[in-house]
Structures are given as structure tokens and as C-alpha cells.
Amino acid sequence: MTWDLTSYFAEFNGAEMVQFKTAIRADVAALQQSAAGLPTLTAQSANGWEDILLRNEDLSRRMSHLGSYIGCLASSDARNEGYQKEEAELSRTRAELAKVRIELLRACKSADDKVFAAFCARPALAGAHNYLNRLREEARRAMTSEKEILATDLGIDGIQAWGRLYDTVSAKLEFAMDYPDGKRARLPMSQRRSLMDDPDRRMRQAAFEGGNAAWQSVEDTAAAALNAIAGTRLTLNRHRSVDHFLDIALFQAAIGRKTLDAMFEALMANLEIPQRILQLKAKSMARQQVAWFDLGAPLDLPDHGKLSWDKAQATVAQSFSRAYPALGRFFTEQVIGKNWVDWEPRPGKRPGGFCTSSMLSKESRIFMTYNESLGDVLTLAHESGHAYHGAMMRDIRPYARAYPMTLAETASTFGENVLMNGILDDPTVSDSDKARILDIEVGHGAVYLLDIPVRYEFEKSFYEERANGPLSVSRLKELMVQTQRQVLGDVLETGGEDPYFWASKLHFYITGITFYNFPYTFGYLLSRGLYAMFKNEGDSFLPKYEEFLRRAGSDTAENVVRQTIGRDIEKTEFWSEAIQSLEEPLSQLQTLLPKLTIQN
């Protein structure tokens, strides 16, 4: 591993870590007992419930530390059985702590409104009002405590086990790569993504076909996991009297249906903008249409070369510092200076990338696989945006740090915008490099406005059909192809679909959050809207942006944006402006390309 994890624990399962785990388990058990012995929330029991909440908050802080550490280890070396064992043990501990939350739901469910309001106003709970209000909302649809405890216990070896199975299978999965020069190799699936971003279409196609052959070999396992995860959620929704499966996704995203509908209404009204981006890609390849594996591909521009890890760090540091000095200092002194990134490509790493934080050490770690592409540099900037968000919230109580994914992805994609604009603002950057950055900017637009909606529309249709029983592998493939054609339209060539996208996209198998898709588009467009304000207002915008980050877990997404930035995201106008902001970089790229063709 290339990151330094010693600030978590000196060694894996050493004396310090064992003592830490033992104390957590003992404290969770004691807290369960205390909470179970209390009556529901009344004026007389309020002191007891305040104590439960404060002890629960402390345990949440310590659990974030342990969970972040184990998650780092298990992702970096998925073949290590010791790490897998700890990951399973962590699931059991989390399930025990979740039972305390069940008692909190019981306390809030039937509490008198005046008693609950007075309880929220207690000085010791200052800043926790959003957490308490969400707790009360969740309590209103909760099953009986006995059923919720049973669901939690079954979840360890049920829905969570299916998610862990997928993680293990995907981490160990390898595919045959037939390089255009005739070389053959077996590669871990974690390296497929960067090959699919190669400017050489033959390379992309080989990675696509080799990868899908590998996914076909485990299609039954992937389908069983996907059906089990969705089936469990639908069953629990029925017992909790949840009207629609999206209600849970909206609650987790801290937005209302009006906001989600406004975003997708704006997207569908402006769908021709991302489709024009794909048409430009097709034209550059002397083709009429694109295949799915072309979606995230860069244009084959002059002087394309591999970027060393040292060059990647320097590029992000310079661009951040030029556009946003505080972010640049954070990246240089913390992310790189304290060795927070595991970037090395190697067998056994799980695919994908993430940023994880500990509320105890107040530090973050970034997991990614760096394969020397500019897209990987963007990933570094993206995950560093998450880490910066964590730094902005380091002194905020845990109950106010639980921000939704919709706002979490804003900070990361804002980081990408800072990087790209930092490079573009450099007067020494060549036309070729400017075109490459503009290509990435508009290319991300195509992904966030076409790829992510495909995931959303597929998952929505899948859940609707899953309510009537499990879907077969052939139906999953058919449904994915239909959805890709529906969203991309005529720009997608016949036969160019990806029928195994439901299997290869790990986001469908994340068990802690349902519909892990639309928040990416939400965050992308919100960040574009915020970055447009930054470009217009200059440095005077940054205090508002940083307050937005700090308050991300303190209210609904609508209220946080309205109160800090002053915009209304329930209206299509905000989203349409953000989508239409892609017109400028697309136009700039179209102007530059003929010059580069002549130079070439």
C-alpha cells in the first residue's frame, strides 16, 4: 500500500487496535441496555435520552475511525482473509450500534410535538436539530422495535453479505486483454477503467470485450446479488409502509421529489447538449455514431502521453493553488504531505475510487488506481475535493456532519472544476493541452448527463419489475440495452450498447445507500452552478462556498443551498443554466480542433 495508515493504529490487530475494538463493543452493549430500559421520550425521560444521544454520538465518532481504517485495508488488499474477517466483524458491530438507533426511533415515534421541540432545544444538542428531525421522520415509518432489530440482525448475513460477495468477486476478477500490437495479458478488473479511457479506440474495444467476457463468467453471481439486494429493500419497504422505493432514496439524499423532478426535467429538455458532445467524438473518429465504450473516451489529440504520479501531484497542486490557494495548501500539506493516497496499480485492489474520513483523527484517506492518464489526475482532484469537505467540517459535531451524497458530490466535482480551470488559466498551456482539458470537461458532461441517467432509469425500471420477482440475466441485459438506447438516442450505434453494465458498475451493489446514481448528476450540476458563481464573483464567493460545505449536514439540500448560496434548486432554471454552461467549453473545443488537425 502506498498510503500511511499509522495515524489510525500502529499496526493491524495490534494491542492498540484490539483494545479500541474491545472498548467499542463493550460500550455499544452498555448503551443498548441503557436505551432499552428507557420509556419513550417524555419530559420526565428527556435527561436519559439526552445521555443516550451523546454516548451514541461518541460511539459514532469512534466507529468512523475503525470503519475507515478497515475499509482502507480491505480495499487495498481484497485477497487478505484477515482484512475480510475484520470487515465482516465490523458489520456485526455496526448492526449492534444500529439497534441503539432503533431505540431512538422508538423514543421519537410517539413523542408529543411540544416535548420533542423542547428536547431539540436543549443546549447539549445544539447543532443536532437536523439529525433529530430526520430521526423523527424515519421513526414515523419504522416497524416495531422487535422487527427492526430482526431486520438489522438478518442484514449482516443477508443484504450486506450479498454486497460483500460482489466486492470480493469483483476484486478477484481478471480479464483477458488483447492489445492492438498482439500482446496478451490477464489484468485485474480494477485496471479496465483506465484502458476504457484510452484514446486508441482499438484499446478501448479490447478492454470492453475482454472485460465483458469476464463479467459473463460471473453473471449468475452478479444477478443473484443484485436481485437479493433489491428484493430485501422492497420487502422492508412493504413492512415499513413506504409508498414508493424512491422515497427512501430521496430521504437519504435530503431532497424532495420536486427537486429531483426539476433536475431531470431540465436534463431532458437539454439532452441535445450532451448528445452533441458525443457527436463531436464520433466525428473525430470518422464515425457516424459512438459505442458505449466510447462514452468516456478522450479525443485522440496530439502529444498524448502518460503522466507519472509525480507529474499528477504537481499538476493538481499547481492548478489548485492558482485558482483556489486554500485548497492548494490543503492538497500539498495534507493530502500529499501526509501521504493520504493509495494510488498504486496492483492485483487484489478493488476497482473504483473513494475518499474516507475519520471523525476521531480528523483525517481523510484517498483510494484510487493510478494508471498514468489525465482522467486519473481528475480522480485525484475529485477525491481531494471530498477530503477538503471533511477538513471544512473537522470541528463540527458528528450529528451535523452526516451530509447527504447529493451535497458530498458537489465538493468533489467542484474540485475537478478548480483543476480544469486552473490549467486553462495558465498562459503557458499549449492549444493541444487546452483542447485536452476542454475535452475532459465536456466529456464529463456527457457522462454525468447521459451515463448517470442511464443508471438511474435502469435502476428505477429494475426495481419496478423486481417487485414482481427476480429478473433473469437475459432480462437484466435486455433492460440495460433498452435504457442506454432510450437515453443516448440515435448517437448510440446499433450493437454498441453495454449489456453487462448492470454487472460491472459496483454502485448498483452498494448496500448502505439506495439509488447510488442520481446524486452524481445532482452534485455535478450543482458544482457547475456554484463554479459559475465563483468565476463571476471571484474570491468573495469562497466564504459562501466554505459555509455551504460546513452546513451540508445541517438541513435539507434545498435549504442549505438557499441559505448559503441564495439559489432555488426546486426550479428548473438553476439546473438548465448549469447544463447550458457546457456550451462555452464545447464551443471553445470545436474552435481549437481544426487548428490541431492542421498542426498534426
mmCIF file of all heavy atoms in Angstrom, residues 212-257:
data_model
loop_
_atom_site.group_PDB
_atom_site.id
_atom_site.type_symbol
_atom_site.label_atom_id
_atom_site.label_comp_id
_atom_site.label_asym_id
_atom_site.label_seq_id
_atom_site.Cartn_x
_atom_site.Cartn_y
_atom_site.Cartn_z
ATOM 1 N N ASN A 212 -16.107 -7.671 -20.541
ATOM 2 C CA ASN A 212 -17.456 -8.232 -20.547
ATOM 3 C C ASN A 212 -17.444 -9.763 -20.596
ATOM 4 O O ASN A 212 -18.344 -10.420 -20.061
ATOM 5 C CB ASN A 212 -18.264 -7.663 -21.714
ATOM 6 C CG ASN A 212 -18.963 -6.374 -21.324
ATOM 7 O OD1 ASN A 212 -18.741 -5.849 -20.233
ATOM 8 N ND2 ASN A 212 -19.803 -5.852 -22.197
ATOM 9 N N ALA A 213 -16.413 -10.337 -21.227
ATOM 10 C CA ALA A 213 -16.290 -11.796 -21.207
ATOM 11 C C ALA A 213 -16.067 -12.282 -19.777
ATOM 12 O O ALA A 213 -16.597 -13.320 -19.365
ATOM 13 C CB ALA A 213 -15.141 -12.240 -22.108
ATOM 14 N N ALA A 214 -15.284 -11.511 -19.015
ATOM 15 C CA ALA A 214 -15.055 -11.861 -17.608
ATOM 16 C C ALA A 214 -16.328 -11.702 -16.799
ATOM 17 O O ALA A 214 -16.656 -12.557 -15.965
ATOM 18 C CB ALA A 214 -13.941 -10.990 -17.034
ATOM 19 N N TRP A 215 -17.065 -10.616 -17.025
ATOM 20 C CA TRP A 215 -18.312 -10.423 -16.283
ATOM 21 C C TRP A 215 -19.337 -11.496 -16.651
ATOM 22 O O TRP A 215 -20.128 -11.928 -15.809
ATOM 23 C CB TRP A 215 -18.885 -9.028 -16.540
ATOM 24 C CG TRP A 215 -18.157 -7.968 -15.774
ATOM 25 C CD1 TRP A 215 -17.375 -6.974 -16.270
ATOM 26 C CD2 TRP A 215 -18.125 -7.824 -14.348
ATOM 27 N NE1 TRP A 215 -16.847 -6.215 -15.248
ATOM 28 C CE2 TRP A 215 -17.294 -6.712 -14.061
ATOM 29 C CE3 TRP A 215 -18.705 -8.518 -13.290
ATOM 30 C CZ2 TRP A 215 -17.045 -6.293 -12.753
ATOM 31 C CZ3 TRP A 215 -18.453 -8.102 -11.982
ATOM 32 C CH2 TRP A 215 -17.633 -7.004 -11.729
ATOM 33 N N GLN A 216 -19.302 -11.950 -17.907
ATOM 34 C CA GLN A 216 -20.205 -13.025 -18.302
ATOM 35 C C GLN A 216 -19.938 -14.297 -17.498
ATOM 36 O O GLN A 216 -20.866 -15.046 -17.162
ATOM 37 C CB GLN A 216 -20.048 -13.321 -19.798
ATOM 38 C CG GLN A 216 -21.034 -14.366 -20.316
ATOM 39 C CD GLN A 216 -20.896 -14.589 -21.814
ATOM 40 O OE1 GLN A 216 -19.923 -14.175 -22.430
ATOM 41 N NE2 GLN A 216 -21.877 -15.241 -22.409
ATOM 42 N N SER A 217 -18.660 -14.507 -17.137
ATOM 43 C CA SER A 217 -18.307 -15.719 -16.388
ATOM 44 C C SER A 217 -18.862 -15.709 -14.968
ATOM 45 O O SER A 217 -18.955 -16.763 -14.335
ATOM 46 C CB SER A 217 -16.780 -15.884 -16.353
ATOM 47 O OG SER A 217 -16.177 -14.916 -15.510
ATOM 48 N N VAL A 218 -19.232 -14.530 -14.460
ATOM 49 C CA VAL A 218 -19.794 -14.442 -13.098
ATOM 50 C C VAL A 218 -21.189 -13.810 -13.132
ATOM 51 O O VAL A 218 -21.676 -13.301 -12.130
ATOM 52 C CB VAL A 218 -18.860 -13.628 -12.158
ATOM 53 C CG1 VAL A 218 -17.535 -14.351 -11.962
ATOM 54 C CG2 VAL A 218 -18.629 -12.208 -12.671
ATOM 55 N N GLU A 219 -21.848 -13.847 -14.292
ATOM 56 C CA GLU A 219 -23.133 -13.158 -14.451
ATOM 57 C C GLU A 219 -24.209 -13.678 -13.504
ATOM 58 O O GLU A 219 -25.020 -12.903 -12.988
ATOM 59 C CB GLU A 219 -23.614 -13.247 -15.912
ATOM 60 C CG GLU A 219 -23.861 -14.651 -16.400
ATOM 61 C CD GLU A 219 -24.307 -14.723 -17.854
ATOM 62 O OE1 GLU A 219 -24.318 -13.679 -18.544
ATOM 63 O OE2 GLU A 219 -24.664 -15.828 -18.308
ATOM 64 N N ASP A 220 -24.221 -14.987 -13.263
ATOM 65 C CA ASP A 220 -25.246 -15.550 -12.377
ATOM 66 C C ASP A 220 -25.042 -15.072 -10.943
ATOM 67 O O ASP A 220 -26.012 -14.786 -10.222
ATOM 68 C CB ASP A 220 -25.223 -17.076 -12.434
ATOM 69 C CG ASP A 220 -25.712 -17.617 -13.772
ATOM 70 O OD1 ASP A 220 -26.564 -16.962 -14.393
ATOM 71 O OD2 ASP A 220 -25.238 -18.683 -14.196
ATOM 72 N N THR A 221 -23.784 -14.983 -10.516
ATOM 73 C CA THR A 221 -23.487 -14.490 -9.168
ATOM 74 C C THR A 221 -23.889 -13.023 -9.032
ATOM 75 O O THR A 221 -24.521 -12.622 -8.042
ATOM 76 C CB THR A 221 -21.983 -14.638 -8.866
ATOM 77 O OG1 THR A 221 -21.622 -16.016 -8.994
ATOM 78 C CG2 THR A 221 -21.669 -14.157 -7.461
ATOM 79 N N ALA A 222 -23.534 -12.217 -10.036
ATOM 80 C CA ALA A 222 -23.872 -10.796 -10.002
ATOM 81 C C ALA A 222 -25.382 -10.590 -10.009
ATOM 82 O O ALA A 222 -25.923 -9.755 -9.268
ATOM 83 C CB ALA A 222 -23.226 -10.066 -11.179
ATOM 84 N N ALA A 223 -26.082 -11.355 -10.822
ATOM 85 C CA ALA A 223 -27.543 -11.229 -10.900
ATOM 86 C C ALA A 223 -28.200 -11.630 -9.586
ATOM 87 O O ALA A 223 -29.151 -10.984 -9.122
ATOM 88 C CB ALA A 223 -28.086 -12.073 -12.049
ATOM 89 N N ALA A 224 -27.686 -12.708 -8.975
ATOM 90 C CA ALA A 224 -28.240 -13.146 -7.692
ATOM 91 C C ALA A 224 -28.046 -12.068 -6.630
ATOM 92 O O ALA A 224 -28.959 -11.783 -5.836
ATOM 93 C CB ALA A 224 -27.580 -14.452 -7.255
ATOM 94 N N ALA A 225 -26.856 -11.453 -6.612
ATOM 95 C CA ALA A 225 -26.580 -10.392 -5.638
ATOM 96 C C ALA A 225 -27.485 -9.187 -5.869
ATOM 97 O O ALA A 225 -28.074 -8.644 -4.925
ATOM 98 C CB ALA A 225 -25.112 -9.978 -5.715
ATOM 99 N N LEU A 226 -27.625 -8.783 -7.116
ATOM 100 C CA LEU A 226 -28.443 -7.608 -7.432
ATOM 101 C C LEU A 226 -29.904 -7.849 -7.069
ATOM 102 O O LEU A 226 -30.561 -6.993 -6.464
ATOM 103 C CB LEU A 226 -28.311 -7.279 -8.922
ATOM 104 C CG LEU A 226 -28.903 -5.947 -9.381
ATOM 105 C CD1 LEU A 226 -28.183 -4.775 -8.726
ATOM 106 C CD2 LEU A 226 -28.821 -5.823 -10.907
ATOM 107 N N ASN A 227 -30.414 -9.019 -7.426
ATOM 108 C CA ASN A 227 -31.806 -9.349 -7.095
ATOM 109 C C ASN A 227 -32.032 -9.432 -5.599
ATOM 110 O O ASN A 227 -33.065 -8.993 -5.082
ATOM 111 C CB ASN A 227 -32.191 -10.679 -7.758
ATOM 112 C CG ASN A 227 -32.643 -10.514 -9.202
ATOM 113 O OD1 ASN A 227 -33.605 -9.819 -9.485
ATOM 114 N ND2 ASN A 227 -31.922 -11.149 -10.113
ATOM 115 N N ALA A 228 -31.061 -9.986 -4.869
ATOM 116 C CA ALA A 228 -31.208 -10.129 -3.418
ATOM 117 C C ALA A 228 -31.189 -8.775 -2.721
ATOM 118 O O ALA A 228 -31.986 -8.527 -1.796
ATOM 119 C CB ALA A 228 -30.094 -11.023 -2.870
ATOM 120 N N ILE A 229 -30.292 -7.898 -3.144
ATOM 121 C CA ILE A 229 -30.191 -6.563 -2.535
ATOM 122 C C ILE A 229 -31.488 -5.793 -2.750
ATOM 123 O O ILE A 229 -32.060 -5.220 -1.814
ATOM 124 C CB ILE A 229 -28.983 -5.809 -3.112
ATOM 125 C CG1 ILE A 229 -27.672 -6.443 -2.608
ATOM 126 C CG2 ILE A 229 -29.027 -4.326 -2.729
ATOM 127 C CD1 ILE A 229 -26.429 -5.969 -3.343
ATOM 128 N N ALA A 230 -31.966 -5.779 -3.987
ATOM 129 C CA ALA A 230 -33.202 -5.052 -4.287
ATOM 130 C C ALA A 230 -34.412 -5.705 -3.623
ATOM 131 O O ALA A 230 -35.295 -5.007 -3.096
ATOM 132 C CB ALA A 230 -33.407 -4.976 -5.802
ATOM 133 N N GLY A 231 -34.450 -7.036 -3.643
ATOM 134 C CA GLY A 231 -35.580 -7.732 -3.045
ATOM 135 C C GLY A 231 -35.690 -7.474 -1.554
ATOM 136 O O GLY A 231 -36.796 -7.295 -1.019
ATOM 137 N N THR A 232 -34.547 -7.454 -0.879
ATOM 138 C CA THR A 232 -34.560 -7.155 0.558
ATOM 139 C C THR A 232 -35.106 -5.762 0.816
ATOM 140 O O THR A 232 -35.933 -5.560 1.720
ATOM 141 C CB THR A 232 -33.140 -7.272 1.136
ATOM 142 O OG1 THR A 232 -32.642 -8.589 0.908
ATOM 143 C CG2 THR A 232 -33.136 -6.970 2.629
ATOM 144 N N ARG A 233 -34.649 -4.792 0.046
ATOM 145 C CA ARG A 233 -35.123 -3.416 0.233
ATOM 146 C C ARG A 233 -36.624 -3.303 -0.005
ATOM 147 O O ARG A 233 -37.341 -2.643 0.758
ATOM 148 C CB ARG A 233 -34.370 -2.471 -0.725
ATOM 149 C CG ARG A 233 -32.936 -2.198 -0.310
ATOM 150 C CD ARG A 233 -32.215 -1.410 -1.374
ATOM 151 N NE ARG A 233 -30.869 -1.028 -0.941
ATOM 152 C CZ ARG A 233 -29.873 -0.738 -1.769
ATOM 153 N NH1 ARG A 233 -30.079 -0.796 -3.075
ATOM 154 N NH2 ARG A 233 -28.694 -0.392 -1.302
ATOM 155 N N LEU A 234 -37.106 -3.940 -1.046
ATOM 156 C CA LEU A 234 -38.538 -3.859 -1.355
ATOM 157 C C LEU A 234 -39.371 -4.524 -0.272
ATOM 158 O O LEU A 234 -40.456 -4.026 0.084
ATOM 159 C CB LEU A 234 -38.804 -4.508 -2.719
ATOM 160 C CG LEU A 234 -38.285 -3.722 -3.936
ATOM 161 C CD1 LEU A 234 -38.323 -4.579 -5.193
ATOM 162 C CD2 LEU A 234 -39.095 -2.437 -4.142
ATOM 163 N N THR A 235 -38.885 -5.625 0.260
ATOM 164 C CA THR A 235 -39.612 -6.300 1.340
ATOM 165 C C THR A 235 -39.680 -5.420 2.585
ATOM 166 O O THR A 235 -40.742 -5.279 3.216
ATOM 167 C CB THR A 235 -38.924 -7.637 1.682
ATOM 168 O OG1 THR A 235 -38.957 -8.491 0.534
ATOM 169 C CG2 THR A 235 -39.627 -8.328 2.847
ATOM 170 N N LEU A 236 -38.549 -4.822 2.957
ATOM 171 C CA LEU A 236 -38.533 -3.936 4.120
ATOM 172 C C LEU A 236 -39.419 -2.719 3.881
ATOM 173 O O LEU A 236 -40.119 -2.259 4.795
ATOM 174 C CB LEU A 236 -37.105 -3.508 4.433
ATOM 175 C CG LEU A 236 -36.204 -4.604 5.026
ATOM 176 C CD1 LEU A 236 -34.764 -4.121 5.117
ATOM 177 C CD2 LEU A 236 -36.708 -5.038 6.406
ATOM 178 N N ASN A 237 -39.427 -2.187 2.672
ATOM 179 C CA ASN A 237 -40.294 -1.045 2.354
ATOM 180 C C ASN A 237 -41.763 -1.405 2.568
ATOM 181 O O ASN A 237 -42.548 -0.607 3.099
ATOM 182 C CB ASN A 237 -40.088 -0.602 0.899
ATOM 183 C CG ASN A 237 -38.787 0.145 0.684
ATOM 184 O OD1 ASN A 237 -38.113 0.518 1.644
ATOM 185 N ND2 ASN A 237 -38.431 0.363 -0.564
ATOM 186 N N ARG A 238 -42.119 -2.612 2.160
ATOM 187 C CA ARG A 238 -43.514 -3.045 2.317
ATOM 188 C C ARG A 238 -43.891 -3.129 3.789
ATOM 189 O O ARG A 238 -44.972 -2.678 4.192
ATOM 190 C CB ARG A 238 -43.697 -4.394 1.619
ATOM 191 C CG ARG A 238 -45.151 -4.862 1.566
ATOM 192 C CD ARG A 238 -45.327 -6.057 0.649
ATOM 193 N NE ARG A 238 -44.658 -7.254 1.143
ATOM 194 C CZ ARG A 238 -43.553 -7.775 0.612
ATOM 195 N NH1 ARG A 238 -42.985 -7.196 -0.435
ATOM 196 N NH2 ARG A 238 -43.013 -8.872 1.119
ATOM 197 N N HIS A 239 -43.002 -3.669 4.609
ATOM 198 C CA HIS A 239 -43.288 -3.798 6.042
ATOM 199 C C HIS A 239 -43.246 -2.444 6.754
ATOM 200 O O HIS A 239 -43.852 -2.298 7.824
ATOM 201 C CB HIS A 239 -42.295 -4.762 6.686
ATOM 202 C CG HIS A 239 -42.608 -6.196 6.420
ATOM 203 N ND1 HIS A 239 -43.433 -6.945 7.221
ATOM 204 C CD2 HIS A 239 -42.221 -7.024 5.411
ATOM 205 C CE1 HIS A 239 -43.554 -8.174 6.734
ATOM 206 N NE2 HIS A 239 -42.820 -8.256 5.641
ATOM 207 N N ARG A 240 -42.536 -1.485 6.176
ATOM 208 C CA ARG A 240 -42.471 -0.148 6.778
ATOM 209 C C ARG A 240 -43.498 0.809 6.173
ATOM 210 O O ARG A 240 -43.490 1.996 6.470
ATOM 211 C CB ARG A 240 -41.067 0.429 6.585
ATOM 212 C CG ARG A 240 -40.004 -0.262 7.449
ATOM 213 C CD ARG A 240 -38.600 0.181 7.076
ATOM 214 N NE ARG A 240 -37.606 -0.441 7.959
ATOM 215 C CZ ARG A 240 -36.358 -0.747 7.599
ATOM 216 N NH1 ARG A 240 -35.948 -0.491 6.355
ATOM 217 N NH2 ARG A 240 -35.529 -1.305 8.458
ATOM 218 N N SER A 241 -44.355 0.283 5.309
ATOM 219 C CA SER A 241 -45.408 1.083 4.666
ATOM 220 C C SER A 241 -44.826 2.265 3.891
ATOM 221 O O SER A 241 -45.376 3.365 3.894
ATOM 222 C CB SER A 241 -46.414 1.584 5.713
ATOM 223 O OG SER A 241 -47.035 0.497 6.365
ATOM 224 N N VAL A 242 -43.694 2.027 3.231
ATOM 225 C CA VAL A 242 -43.094 3.047 2.362
ATOM 226 C C VAL A 242 -43.872 3.033 1.048
ATOM 227 O O VAL A 242 -44.013 1.982 0.405
ATOM 228 C CB VAL A 242 -41.602 2.752 2.117
ATOM 229 C CG1 VAL A 242 -41.015 3.709 1.096
ATOM 230 C CG2 VAL A 242 -40.833 2.843 3.436
ATOM 231 N N ASP A 243 -44.372 4.172 0.640
ATOM 232 C CA ASP A 243 -45.238 4.236 -0.542
ATOM 233 C C ASP A 243 -44.495 3.886 -1.831
ATOM 234 O O ASP A 243 -45.033 3.220 -2.709
ATOM 235 C CB ASP A 243 -45.845 5.635 -0.668
ATOM 236 C CG ASP A 243 -46.831 5.945 0.456
ATOM 237 O OD1 ASP A 243 -47.395 4.980 1.011
ATOM 238 O OD2 ASP A 243 -47.002 7.128 0.792
ATOM 239 N N HIS A 244 -43.250 4.384 -1.987
ATOM 240 C CA HIS A 244 -42.509 4.191 -3.232
ATOM 241 C C HIS A 244 -41.031 4.020 -2.903
ATOM 242 O O HIS A 244 -40.516 4.676 -1.985
ATOM 243 C CB HIS A 244 -42.718 5.394 -4.161
ATOM 244 C CG HIS A 244 -42.283 5.165 -5.575
ATOM 245 N ND1 HIS A 244 -40.972 5.304 -5.978
ATOM 246 C CD2 HIS A 244 -42.979 4.801 -6.675
ATOM 247 C CE1 HIS A 244 -40.877 5.034 -7.276
ATOM 248 N NE2 HIS A 244 -42.085 4.730 -7.730
ATOM 249 N N PHE A 245 -40.343 3.145 -3.651
ATOM 250 C CA PHE A 245 -38.928 2.888 -3.343
ATOM 251 C C PHE A 245 -38.059 4.132 -3.461
ATOM 252 O O PHE A 245 -37.017 4.231 -2.808
ATOM 253 C CB PHE A 245 -38.376 1.761 -4.230
ATOM 254 C CG PHE A 245 -38.580 1.954 -5.712
ATOM 255 C CD1 PHE A 245 -37.761 2.802 -6.449
ATOM 256 C CD2 PHE A 245 -39.580 1.257 -6.384
ATOM 257 C CE1 PHE A 245 -37.940 2.954 -7.816
ATOM 258 C CE2 PHE A 245 -39.767 1.411 -7.749
ATOM 259 C CZ PHE A 245 -38.946 2.268 -8.469
ATOM 260 N N LEU A 246 -38.490 5.116 -4.254
ATOM 261 C CA LEU A 246 -37.704 6.348 -4.371
ATOM 262 C C LEU A 246 -37.804 7.218 -3.121
ATOM 263 O O LEU A 246 -36.953 8.084 -2.909
ATOM 264 C CB LEU A 246 -38.149 7.159 -5.600
ATOM 265 C CG LEU A 246 -37.506 6.793 -6.943
ATOM 266 C CD1 LEU A 246 -38.072 7.675 -8.043
ATOM 267 C CD2 LEU A 246 -35.991 6.906 -6.897
ATOM 268 N N ASP A 247 -38.832 6.981 -2.309
ATOM 269 C CA ASP A 247 -38.976 7.782 -1.086
ATOM 270 C C ASP A 247 -37.747 7.635 -0.194
ATOM 271 O O ASP A 247 -37.298 8.600 0.425
ATOM 272 C CB ASP A 247 -40.236 7.365 -0.319
ATOM 273 C CG ASP A 247 -41.521 7.751 -1.035
ATOM 274 O OD1 ASP A 247 -41.448 8.542 -1.992
ATOM 275 O OD2 ASP A 247 -42.593 7.253 -0.634
ATOM 276 N N ILE A 248 -37.205 6.423 -0.112
ATOM 277 C CA ILE A 248 -36.019 6.185 0.714
ATOM 278 C C ILE A 248 -34.808 6.872 0.098
ATOM 279 O O ILE A 248 -33.997 7.493 0.800
ATOM 280 C CB ILE A 248 -35.755 4.680 0.876
ATOM 281 C CG1 ILE A 248 -36.975 3.986 1.492
ATOM 282 C CG2 ILE A 248 -34.514 4.442 1.717
ATOM 283 C CD1 ILE A 248 -37.351 4.502 2.859
ATOM 284 N N ALA A 249 -34.676 6.779 -1.219
ATOM 285 C CA ALA A 249 -33.553 7.428 -1.902
ATOM 286 C C ALA A 249 -33.592 8.942 -1.715
ATOM 287 O O ALA A 249 -32.559 9.585 -1.488
ATOM 288 C CB ALA A 249 -33.570 7.076 -3.394
ATOM 289 N N LEU A 250 -34.779 9.512 -1.792
ATOM 290 C CA LEU A 250 -34.928 10.960 -1.610
ATOM 291 C C LEU A 250 -34.611 11.360 -0.171
ATOM 292 O O LEU A 250 -33.962 12.393 0.064
ATOM 293 C CB LEU A 250 -36.349 11.391 -1.981
ATOM 294 C CG LEU A 250 -36.719 11.276 -3.461
ATOM 295 C CD1 LEU A 250 -38.213 11.445 -3.654
ATOM 296 C CD2 LEU A 250 -35.969 12.313 -4.288
ATOM 297 N N PHE A 251 -35.040 10.553 0.779
ATOM 298 C CA PHE A 251 -34.741 10.829 2.182
ATOM 299 C C PHE A 251 -33.236 10.776 2.417
ATOM 300 O O PHE A 251 -32.664 11.662 3.065
ATOM 301 C CB PHE A 251 -35.449 9.819 3.083
ATOM 302 C CG PHE A 251 -35.134 9.974 4.545
ATOM 303 C CD1 PHE A 251 -35.686 11.012 5.290
ATOM 304 C CD2 PHE A 251 -34.279 9.088 5.186
ATOM 305 C CE1 PHE A 251 -35.397 11.163 6.643
ATOM 306 C CE2 PHE A 251 -33.979 9.223 6.533
ATOM 307 C CZ PHE A 251 -34.542 10.270 7.262
ATOM 308 N N GLN A 252 -32.575 9.755 1.890
ATOM 309 C CA GLN A 252 -31.127 9.651 2.047
ATOM 310 C C GLN A 252 -30.400 10.802 1.354
ATOM 311 O O GLN A 252 -29.351 11.253 1.831
ATOM 312 C CB GLN A 252 -30.637 8.309 1.491
ATOM 313 C CG GLN A 252 -31.083 7.112 2.324
ATOM 314 C CD GLN A 252 -30.724 5.786 1.679
ATOM 315 O OE1 GLN A 252 -30.520 5.684 0.470
ATOM 316 N NE2 GLN A 252 -30.642 4.740 2.495
ATOM 317 N N ALA A 253 -30.945 11.277 0.246
ATOM 318 C CA ALA A 253 -30.338 12.384 -0.493
ATOM 319 C C ALA A 253 -30.688 13.748 0.099
ATOM 320 O O ALA A 253 -30.145 14.768 -0.333
ATOM 321 C CB ALA A 253 -30.775 12.332 -1.960
ATOM 322 N N ALA A 254 -31.588 13.777 1.070
ATOM 323 C CA ALA A 254 -32.044 15.014 1.728
ATOM 324 C C ALA A 254 -32.621 16.010 0.735
ATOM 325 O O ALA A 254 -32.383 17.213 0.831
ATOM 326 C CB ALA A 254 -30.906 15.645 2.530
ATOM 327 N N ILE A 255 -33.386 15.501 -0.243
ATOM 328 C CA ILE A 255 -34.073 16.373 -1.188
ATOM 329 C C ILE A 255 -35.517 15.915 -1.317
ATOM 330 O O ILE A 255 -35.875 14.796 -0.923
ATOM 331 C CB ILE A 255 -33.421 16.372 -2.594
ATOM 332 C CG1 ILE A 255 -33.448 14.968 -3.214
ATOM 333 C CG2 ILE A 255 -31.991 16.899 -2.520
ATOM 334 C CD1 ILE A 255 -32.988 14.927 -4.662
ATOM 335 N N GLY A 256 -36.350 16.773 -1.901
ATOM 336 C CA GLY A 256 -37.729 16.428 -2.170
ATOM 337 C C GLY A 256 -37.901 15.981 -3.609
ATOM 338 O O GLY A 256 -37.037 16.214 -4.464
ATOM 339 N N ARG A 257 -39.029 15.339 -3.894
ATOM 340 C CA ARG A 257 -39.292 14.864 -5.262
ATOM 341 C C ARG A 257 -39.346 16.033 -6.242
ATOM 342 O O ARG A 257 -38.964 15.899 -7.420
ATOM 343 C CB ARG A 257 -40.608 14.074 -5.287
ATOM 344 C CG ARG A 257 -40.911 13.383 -6.607
ATOM 345 C CD ARG A 257 -39.874 12.338 -6.950
ATOM 346 N NE ARG A 257 -40.088 11.746 -8.257
ATOM 347 C CZ ARG A 257 -40.722 10.588 -8.446
ATOM 348 N NH1 ARG A 257 -41.202 9.920 -7.411
ATOM 349 N NH2 ARG A 257 -40.853 10.096 -9.661
#
